[in-house]
Amino acid sequence: MDGAASPGGWSGVAEWKVTRGDALHPADPRIPRSSKIARVSHDIAPSRVIRSSRVLIDGEFRPAAVVVEGGRIAAIEAVDARLDIADDITLGDEQVLIPGIVDSHVHVNEPGRTEWEGFTTATRAAARGGVTTIVDMPLNSIPPTTTVEALDLKRAAAAPQSVVDVGFWGGAIPSSLGALEPLHDAGVFGFKCFLSPSGVDEFPHLSTEQLHAAMAEIAAFDGLLIVHAEDPATLDASPAPEGTSYGAFVRSRPEASEQSAIGHVIDAVRATGGRAHILHLSSAAALEQIKAAKAEGLRITVETCPHYLSFDEESIPDGATQYKCCPPIRDAHNQELLWEALVDGTIDIVASDHSPSTAALKFAGDGDFDLAWGGISGLELSFRAVWTGAARRGIALPQVLQWMSTGTADLVGLSSKGRIAVGADADLVAFDPDATFTVDATALAHKNPVSAFDGSELRGRVAATWVAGRLVDEDAQPARLLRRG
């Protein structure tokens, strides 16, 4: 139940306040006078219609009836349209109908480290949070997704368990350079690399020279390189973390490390004409060089994450290693600059970087930031965390969905996702934007009950999630595995 104490739980029809066969009266002032908003030109035999006084279409909320057939949106009609459809759902007045969130940055860790996270728990957490598509990172699974054979293992693990759609990133590590195109041809959405140590031995980082080599190789087949951008030389020259001090941990990973690494990425894009995406930007100090690169016409996109937009250094207690992530959560002024960069378009998208581990690893060393594993578990909460911060700043819900649904879908080339439009996938969410709740980490669906958001007051209730037109509930059937193109 998504209530005062729990942000998760599966809702039944009565709980998400819909009625069946009960469209709005034709005289309702919320109904547009046009007979339809958009419709396919041929006859259709729809299997479901979802009606709402507020449906997000072309960036605006309007009354509509969304007709679903064969997993896609077959038509968008006037909200009071008379349709001969048995499965006719009308959302409650407090709910809006929005496209599902597309989370392009998720670590599932299966196979190999399934005790950290697996496809069953990750995808059910996703659906609870209104996420209908995830793209899985090539680490921390064993083996990492750096070969076609490893990709096949990932797909075999995901196929029977995943209740939301799942795509996969490939990995660019020193040993895979020169052999990336077969993974591209096998359907990965791009290639992740680290410019500093990843934390796991099976996924080593690239040197600056290797970064340029990877960028040139990927540019030759017009692929996408996504980059963990911290410079190891800067990190090595920084003071080591000092036990439980969060401030010391932040100083051990200074903003200059991001600036330097992003500079290397910009140089590689300029030299090759390739396309690169900067992952999990935490430092506002890098924004000016990103703006300049974009103004130059270089093909660079940037993401930040909900934890950078929700928490600040001043509020994190010493020893609270549930907040440890790399790059780190920085100060409150930096956070506001990240919000401003989202609004002005310097930062393109927001993705969760859901990166869980066991509680034993997360709290290793009894609060010692040098010993605890880094990573924030936020998949189920990411959308609502960002919406909470956005609403507080007067930013409208359609803008949040541009960052977390349309924009993320466009990043990976999933043009049929992230929008409510005729022909698009029927990945839909009934959402109450004004409901509030207190996060209880023990009630979240991901595998290990650890979250930096534990105890946070968040805004928004996911009442129902449909993937390809099917309601995701306790009995949900496996969804689809996605390939690039």
Side-chain angles (χ1 to χ4, degrees), residues 177-197:
L177 298 185
L180 299 177
E181 192 166 9
L183 259 180
H184 176 78
D185 292 342
V188 298
F189 287 91
F191 298 87
K192 180 176 185 177
C193 72
F194 279 74
L195 302 187
S196 59

Side-chain angles (χ1 to χ4, degrees), residues 33-45:
R33 294 301 88 194
S34 61
S35 62
K36 61 187 178 181
I37 298 168
R39 184 170 183 167
V40 292
S41 59
H42 53 81
D43 292 335
I44 57 173

Side-chain angles (χ1 to χ4, degrees), residues 53 85 334 337-338 343 368 442 452:
S53 60
I85 302 169
N334 178 85
L337 293 176
L338 295 178
V343 171
D368 188 326
T442 66

